[in-house]
């Protein structure tokens, strides 16, 4: 994590990271102002807070109340060496907690991350740089020995060279990549989380049997998501990029809707139109680009090459973002390697969906087959030793597809977690299934997995597949575990060179009668995206009409300019929101594609609360009271915001009752909610305070630091594409 420090007045310092700011000072006796804790005080507090966090996680996973638990820490200093200290953590536990859980709580404290880092002894590297902002060295803890070369199945270069190539590309782009966490819960199962230090919203996870392979996985995913613009899916790019020569890629084309909002000629092909517009209901306006929000430019379409005949087909960026999410994206040492990964991922998810929705019972992998892979067996045995039985299944559906499945059972909660992996090599597919199972997860996190069910409707619900796609936490059927399986086990093998594997995987899709469309992105190396219509979509096609992300265009400008709208404009905005049939608990971040600091009122704002604030601003008090009651009934906002609306409810009820006078209650209300909050409440009801808690912004995104960081990240990529396009044009001329 990158922490930037600003020098304030006197000895005060400000540390900024992510969306947070921490102020440090020195005591008056050390010439400071004593206005904040000192740096060392924060260090001491971090270990106590970390210990308490692990206690909380342990108790929450077992429904143990924490009200009676108290924790304290004292640091005992050696009088002869003040750098030699003992951190003594004491926990007071109620008698109601069993001996087993008492021991478990102490073990959980022992897992404190701060404690482990201190005990290991961090290494400090101190250096000067010409510019912190321009220093683009990859901030990676892992420094492989260049004299060693590690090859793994599926990779055409050693891992060390792959890491160097990818980090070099990102450094050239001006991105600092930092590793924020590692996990290695069982042997041969590693995972990590990396992110752009300047824009933490740009992050990926990686997994593998070793640290190096997990890092390769994370870096590859980072480059593929940059190359395919996935980090910026549905996000508003702002007016500068919206009106640039290109918005997404230099080779994009723009199309305007036809007469009566018809789909324009030139986008998609007949095969795709039959899938995406079977009844002729899809309109041109449904495909207006969400990121630019530029209705005048219309539909932005990206060229894809049709695999069957090499023809170019233009896919609207809106369609891709709405239906495919991240499915079918990959980066590799060469394009064949990337295509194998793309296709493997597509098969993994399509087969997984079929198995879950059709409640297919898969065959077990025989023990003698598993024994061929001792590293994988070590991970399986370690998980089972932790009390998690595993079921290892062949998900190839009789040898048709290169897919495996590892399913974990949690006897503590009755939940199950089905993890799938795919690759032309059975060994790699099995390894991916196992490493996916624990990617970014703790043992406590496995207590949150869903219980299996015999309710077919719950399993077949489209949203269930979306949950499985995002993090595999959807529900699966009890029928999945039947000993009477629907297919026989096949020890399949589609492996070969990457070129051969790519051909074999394409052949499977051809046998299924599927058209395949490919876009190659080489500005950051070798990345590509593959679309297989009616096979690799994540969301239903109907979302293009009924739940399209470009609904943001109907609200974005008004919401960003909320404070400058007149009453007529506010009323129209409220009416549009009311008539839209949007979920009133949807957050504004998702609705308009703009990132707000989640620790602000904007960051927690929902459609319901926005309409409530508009009603208050318009003096529509009866409707405001109704919305306030709804807000308080299902309030997931902060405690302070909840208290504000409790005050609003009370003042509204007084104001709307002819027999009550607000002056009779102000003293009691002030004592209940605090005078500052009460002033905001009364001002909101009387109209002198508008949109309490929402800081003004506008269409230029002023003051929205979190979103600006994301756009700054995209501008680096956008500029690199523009440079490459200019070089290619100059070379061609």
């Amino acid at each position: 994590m990158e922490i930037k420090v600003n020098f304030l007045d006197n000895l005060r310092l400000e540390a900024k990271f992510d969306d947070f700011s921490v102020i440090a000072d020195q005591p008056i006796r050390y010439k400071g102002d004593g206005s904040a804790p000192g740096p060392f005080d924060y260090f001491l507090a971090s270990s106590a807070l970390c210990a308490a966090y692990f206690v909380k996680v342990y108790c929450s996973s077992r429904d143990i109340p924490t009200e009676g638990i108290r924790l304290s820490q004292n640091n005992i200093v050696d009088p002869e060496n003040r750098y030699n200290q003992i951190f003594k953590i004491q926990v007071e536990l109620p008698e109601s907690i069993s001996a087993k859980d008492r021991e478990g709580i102490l073990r959980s404290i022992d897992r404190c991350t701060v404690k482990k880092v201190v005990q290991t002894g961090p290494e400090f590297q101190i250096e000067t740089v010409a510019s912190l902002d321009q220093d683009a060295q990859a901030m990676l803890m892992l420094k492989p020995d260049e004299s060693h070369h590690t090859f793994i199945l599926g990779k055409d270069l050693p891992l060390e060279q792959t890491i160097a190539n990818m980090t070099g590309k990102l450094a050239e782009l001006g991105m600092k990549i930092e590793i924020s966490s590692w996990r290695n819960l069982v042997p041969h199962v590693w995972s990590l989380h990396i992110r752009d230090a300047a824009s933490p919203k740009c992050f990926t996870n990686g997994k593998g049997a070793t640290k190096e392979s997990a890092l390769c996985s994370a870096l590859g995913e980072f480059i593929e998501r940059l190359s395919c613009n996935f980090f910026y899916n549905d996000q508003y790019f702002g007016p500068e990029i919206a009106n640039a020569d290109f918005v997404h890629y230099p080779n994009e084309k723009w199309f305007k809707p036809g007469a009566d909002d018809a789909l324009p000629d030139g986008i998609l092909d007949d095969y795709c139109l039959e899938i995406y517009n079977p009844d002729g209901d899809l309109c041109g306006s449904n495909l207006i680009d969400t990121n630019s929000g530029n209705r005048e430019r219309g539909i932005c379409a990206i060229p894809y090459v049709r695999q069957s005949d090499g023809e170019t087909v233009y896919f609207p960026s809106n369609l891709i973002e709405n239906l495919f999410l991240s499915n079918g994206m990959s980066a590799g040492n060469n394009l064949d390697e990337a295509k194998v990964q793309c296709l493997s991922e597509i098969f993994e998810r399509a087969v997984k969906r079929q198995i879950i929705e059709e409640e297919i019972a898969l065959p077990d992998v025989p023990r003698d087959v598993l024994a061929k892979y001792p590293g994988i067996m070590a991970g399986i045995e370690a998980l089972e030793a932790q009390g998690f039985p595993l079921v290892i299944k062949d998900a190839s559906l009789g040898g048709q597809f290169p897919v495996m499945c590892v399913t974990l059972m949690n006897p503590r909660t009755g939940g199950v977690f089905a993890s799938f992996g795919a690759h032309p090599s059975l060994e790699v597919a099995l390894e991916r299934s196992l490493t996916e199972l624990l990617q970014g997860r703790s043992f406590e996190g496995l207590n949150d997995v869903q219980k299996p069910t015999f309710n077919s409707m719950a399993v077949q619900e489209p949203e269930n597949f979306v949950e499985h796609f995002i993090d595999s936490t959807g529900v699966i059927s009890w029928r999945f575990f039947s000993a009477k399986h629907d297919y026989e086990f096949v020890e399949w093998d589609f492996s070969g060179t990457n070129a051969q594997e790519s051909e074999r995987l394409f052949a499977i899709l051809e046998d299924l009668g599927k058209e395949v469309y490919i876009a190659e992105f080489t500005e950051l190396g070798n990345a590509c995206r593959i679309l297989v219509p009616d096979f690799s979509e994540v969301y239903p096609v109907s979302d293009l009409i009924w739940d399209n992300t470009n609904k943001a265009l109907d609200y974005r400008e008004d919401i960003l300019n909320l404070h400058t709208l007149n009453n007529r404009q506010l009323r129209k905005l409220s009416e549009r929101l009311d008539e839209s049939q949007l979920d009133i608990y949807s957050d504004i971040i998702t609705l308009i594609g703009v990132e707000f600091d989640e620790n602000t009122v904007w960051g927690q704002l929902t459609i319901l609360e926005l309409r409530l604030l508009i009603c208050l601003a318009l003096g529509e008090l009866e409707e405001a009271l109704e919305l306030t009651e709804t807000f308080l009934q299902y309030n997931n906002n902060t405690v302070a915001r909840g208290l504000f609306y409790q005050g609003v409810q009370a003042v509204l009820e007084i104001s709307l009752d002819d027999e009550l006078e607000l002056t009779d209650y102000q003293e009691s209300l002030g004592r209940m909610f605090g005078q500052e909050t009460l002033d905001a409440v009364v001002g909101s009801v009387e109209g002198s305070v508008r949109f309490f808690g929402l800081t003004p912004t506008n269409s230029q995104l002023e003051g929205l630091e979190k979103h600006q960081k994301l756009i700054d990240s995209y501008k680096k990529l956008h500029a690199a594409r523009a440079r490459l396009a200019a070089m290619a044009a100059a070379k061609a001329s």
Side-chain angles (χ1 to χ4, degrees):
M1 178 173 70
E2 182 179 49
I3 302 172
K4 291 186 176 179
V5 178
N6 297 320
F7 295 90
L8 307 180
D9 55 289
N10 197 12
L11 298 181
R12 294 172 73 246
L13 303 167
E14 178 189 38
K16 300 195 74 173
F17 52 94
D18 295 349
D19 298 314
F20 302 104
S21 174
V22 175
I23 304 297
D25 199 353
Q26 292 293 333
I28 293 173
R29 65 180 180 276
Y30 295 141
K31 309 301 183 184
D33 298 318
S35 63
F40 190 68
D41 300 325
Y42 281 116
F43 167 67
L44 294 175
S46 70
S47 59
L49 290 168
C50 186
Y53 162 75
F54 278 95
V55 171
K56 182 70 174 179
V57 168
Y58 180 92
C59 292
S60 296
S61 67
R62 291 159 179 80
D63 294 324
I64 300 172
T66 55
E67 284 77 10
I69 299 178
R70 299 170 65 199
L71 183 145
S72 72
Q73 173 185 294
N74 288 288
N75 60 311
I76 302 170
V77 183
D78 183 340
E80 296 182 0
N81 180 2
R82 66 191 182 99
Y83 299 115
N84 182 26
Q85 301 190 17
I86 297 173
F87 287 14
K88 187 172 185 178
I89 297 175
Q90 296 177 309
V91 190
E92 181 182 312
L93 300 173
E95 293 183 3
S96 58
I97 295 180
S98 68
K100 178 182 177 182
D101 283 326
R102 287 170 178 267
E103 185 178 338
I105 288 171
L106 292 178
R107 283 202 308 271
S108 73
I109 294 175
D110 198 47
R111 296 180 55 228
C112 166
T113 313
V114 175
K115 166 183 167 294
K116 288 184 177 293
V117 171
V118 172
Q119 287 178 324
T120 302
E123 176 185 344
F124 288 84
Q125 298 178 354
I126 303 170
E127 62 183 6
T128 61
V129 295
S131 168
L132 289 175
D133 292 330
Q134 294 175 10
D135 173 35
Q137 296 298 314
M139 298 169 63
L140 302 179
M141 294 164 56
L142 188 64
K143 302 291 183 184
D145 186 343
E146 293 183 2
S147 65
H148 292 83
H149 295 294
T150 308
F151 286 90
I152 63 171
L153 285 173
K155 294 294 180 186
D156 284 341
L157 288 178
L159 296 179
E160 293 82 1
Q161 186 61 52
T162 303
I163 292 169
N165 291 346
M166 290 191 287
T167 53
K169 288 289 184 182
L170 292 168
E172 288 173 13
L173 198 61
M175 288 190 173
K176 286 185 177 180
I177 304 301
E178 61 181 14
I179 299 174
S180 61
S181 66
W182 283 101
R183 287 190 185 275
N184 176 218
L185 298 181
V186 298
H188 307 291
V189 179
W190 287 84
S191 69
L192 77 159
H193 180 92
I194 66 172
R195 61 188 188 178
D196 177 2
S199 178
K201 285 289 294 182
C202 299
F203 67 87
T204 57
N205 299 304
K207 60 185 185 295
T210 66
K211 293 177 75 173
E212 292 87 352
S213 60
L215 180 55
C216 271
S217 168
L219 288 168
E221 188 171 286
F222 199 96
I223 286 178
E224 80 186 30
R225 294 189 174 203
L226 275 177
S227 299
C228 299
N229 281 3
F230 181 74
F231 287 138
Y232 319 103
N233 235 25
D234 312 331
Q235 302 287 349
Y236 178 44
F237 287 161
E240 180 184 342
I241 294 177
N243 295 293
D245 290 340
F246 67 92
V247 172
H248 296 271
Y249 301 97
N251 61 352
E252 68 193 22
K253 278 190 178 181
W254 289 80
F255 300 82
K256 291 195 174 183
D260 299 322
D261 204 13
L263 295 182
D265 294 333
I267 62 169
L268 304 174
D269 57 14
D270 291 341
Y271 177 85
C272 292
L273 288 169
E274 194 63 36
I275 293 168
Y276 299 125
N277 192 28
D279 302 316
D281 296 332
L282 188 64
C283 299
S285 59
N286 295 133
L287 300 177
I288 298 294
D289 182 58
T290 303
N291 302 106
S292 67
N294 195 330
R295 294 181 188 271
E296 292 301 312
R297 294 183 84 164
I299 300 168
C300 181
I302 315 300
Y304 277 72
V305 175
R306 191 164 56 205
Q307 172 74 6
S308 61
D309 58 8
E311 289 294 315
T312 297
V313 177
Y314 282 87
F315 277 77
S317 62
N318 173 283
L319 182 148
I320 298 169
E321 293 163 4
N322 272 282
L323 300 186
F324 293 92
L325 292 187
S326 65
N327 202 15
M329 306 186 316
S330 187
N333 290 301
N334 52 59
L335 284 170
D336 280 325
E337 187 179 300
K339 288 174 184 177
V340 169
Q341 175 56 27
C342 274
L343 293 166
S344 296
E345 184 178 84
I346 287 170
F347 282 122
E348 172 195 322
R349 287 159 176 172
V351 172
K352 176 181 184 177
R353 182 173 197 155
Q354 181 182 349
I355 289 166
I356 290 169
E357 291 185 348
E358 297 179 12
E359 301 175 271
I360 294 172
L362 299 175
D364 291 335
V365 178
R367 208 71 181 175
D368 61 316
V369 174
L370 293 176
K372 296 178 182 180
Y373 314 115
I376 295 172
M377 278 301 299
I380 291 170
E381 290 167 354
L383 266 174
E384 293 191 328
Q386 289 286 337
F388 299 107
L390 295 184
V391 181
I392 317 301
K393 299 280 189 180
D394 169 22
S396 69
L397 303 185
Q400 297 179 74
F401 305 104
V403 186
M404 297 295 287
C405 175
V406 175
T407 302
L408 175 144
M409 298 179 174
N410 189 343
R412 299 186 186 99
T413 64
V416 296
F417 184 91
S419 173
F420 289 73
H423 188 270
S425 162
L426 186 150
E427 178 183 0
V428 176
L430 184 56
E431 179 188 286
R432 287 181 176 177
S433 300
L434 182 61
T435 53
E436 173 71 23
L437 187 71
L438 293 178
Q439 180 172 280
R441 290 184 174 86
S442 63
F443 288 132
E444 285 80 8
L446 294 172
N447 291 326
D448 298 329
V449 297
Q450 301 243 34
K451 300 174 177 61
T453 180
F454 280 109
N455 182 345
S456 297
M457 291 183 65
V459 171
Q460 294 162 5
E461 169 66 36
E463 195 61 31
N464 186 49
F465 174 66
V466 175
E467 294 294 328
H468 276 288
F469 175 85
I470 294 172
D471 59 8
S472 297
T473 57
V475 67
I476 64 173
S477 172
W478 266 117
R479 293 178 177 84
F480 176 86
F481 296 97
S482 173
K484 186 179 179 181
H485 41 78
D486 296 309
Y487 292 89
E488 294 301 317
F489 169 76
V490 176
E491 193 172 358
W492 49 267
D493 183 13
F494 297 87
S495 63
T497 64
N498 275 309
Q500 291 170 332
E501 291 174 353
S502 174
E503 288 180 12
R504 290 167 187 171
L505 297 183
F506 278 125
I508 296 173
L509 290 169
E510 185 178 357
D511 291 342
L512 292 173
K514 302 296 182 184
E515 283 281 13
V516 180
Y517 303 82
I518 308 166
E520 298 176 356
F521 307 105
T522 54
E523 64 265 27
L524 293 176
N526 298 291
C528 65
R529 178 156 204 171
I530 297 177
L531 307 178
V532 188
D534 196 31
F535 191 76
S536 64
E537 294 90 351
V538 176
Y539 283 108
V541 173
S542 60
D543 278 8
L544 290 174
I545 297 174
W546 302 111
D547 194 21
N548 194 305
T549 57
N550 74 6
K551 60 181 177 285
L553 277 57
D554 295 329
Y555 309 104
R556 182 186 286 155
E557 185 174 355
D558 281 348
I559 291 175
L560 288 174
N561 294 284
L562 186 68
H563 291 77
T564 63
L565 299 184
N566 59 38
N567 285 355
R568 181 181 60 83
Q569 293 169 319
L570 284 174
R571 189 168 286 107
K572 284 190 173 183
L573 172 59
S574 183
E575 288 171 356
R576 292 203 308 277
L577 288 168
D578 187 30
E579 295 166 1
S580 67
Q581 298 184 337
L582 293 169
D583 180 359
I584 61 173
Y585 298 103
S586 297
D587 57 76
I588 296 302
I589 289 175
T590 303
L591 176 64
I592 66 173
V594 173
E595 288 295 326
F596 297 96
D597 183 346
E598 63 184 15
N599 299 303
T600 65
V601 176
W602 275 112
Q604 299 294 320
L605 189 67
T606 61
I607 292 174
L608 168 61
E609 188 181 1
L610 176 59
R611 286 197 56 226
L612 196 172
L613 289 170
I614 292 173
C615 285
L616 288 172
L618 294 173
E620 297 172 352
L621 301 187
E622 290 185 357
E623 186 173 358
L625 177 58
E626 183 180 330
L627 291 172
T628 301
E629 290 169 346
T630 304
F631 177 93
L632 291 172
Q633 187 175 4
Y634 301 102
N635 173 33
N636 290 321
N637 212 305
T638 62
V639 172
R641 206 63 179 165
L643 286 171
F644 169 73
Y645 283 113
Q646 285 183 46
V648 168
Q649 181 182 26
V651 172
L652 282 173
E653 288 179 334
I654 293 168
S655 301
L656 291 169
D657 192 323
D658 293 337
E659 298 181 2
L660 300 178
E661 292 291 337
L662 182 59
T663 53
D664 296 336
Y665 295 88
Q666 280 190 308
E667 182 179 350
S668 295
L669 290 171
R671 296 180 69 183
M672 173 68 79
F673 301 113
Q675 194 58 47
E676 185 178 345
T677 299
L678 180 61
D679 290 344
V681 167
V682 173
S684 297
V685 173
E686 293 180 347
S688 59
V689 174
R690 289 162 66 91
F691 313 117
F692 173 66
L694 296 179
T695 54
T697 183
N698 53 36
S699 299
Q700 280 65 48
L701 306 168
E702 288 182 14
L704 303 184
E705 184 178 353
K706 188 171 185 178
H707 195 82
Q708 290 286 7
K709 286 180 179 178
L710 191 66
I711 301 311
D712 287 345
S713 165
Y714 183 63
K715 284 180 177 178
K716 295 174 186 175
L717 183 61
H718 193 270
R721 287 173 176 157
R723 285 194 301 271
L724 288 173
M727 290 169 58
K731 188 175 181 181
S733 61

